[in-house]
Amino acid sequence: MQVFKQVSYVQILKGWQTYVFPVSGGFLRYKLLTTSQELEEAKERCHLEGWKIIDATRLVKRLNKISR
């Protein structure tokens, strides 16, 4: 499967959930990062590999608030 070079993450109770985006559309849950150190290491690796990384936490919170 081909994926765009983009990762998004959302802060949840257990840590940060990461998502990747297939070229065919949609998104896939990728990995749960349980510590801030894991998150920082993942962000650094993404930048080194040329991947775009997005913190989608605020957006998701807004969308959840609107949908209630």
Side-chain angles (χ1 to χ4, degrees), residues 4-68:
F4 288 116
K5 289 188 168 191
Q6 177 177 322
V7 175
S8 291
Y9 62 93
V10 177
Q11 186 173 13
I12 58 174
L13 292 176
K14 296 178 183 178
W16 294 267
Q17 181 65 56
T18 59
Y19 299 88
V20 294
F21 299 86
V23 172
S24 59
F27 62 89
L28 297 172
R29 225 180 256 144
Y30 180 64
K31 186 176 182 181
L32 178 64
L33 306 171
T34 56
T35 66
S36 58
Q37 183 178 353
E38 283 182 309
L39 176 63
E40 291 306 317
E41 289 173 3
K43 287 166 55 175
E44 186 176 323
R45 283 194 306 265
C46 285
H47 288 295
L48 289 173
E49 294 295 324
W51 284 56
K52 184 177 181 181
I53 186 157
I54 299 168
D55 180 354
T57 304
R58 289 174 59 197
L59 174 61
V60 170
K61 284 183 180 180
R62 276 192 205 143
L63 292 173
N64 286 339
K65 189 175 182 178
I66 290 169
S67 68
R68 290 184 184 171

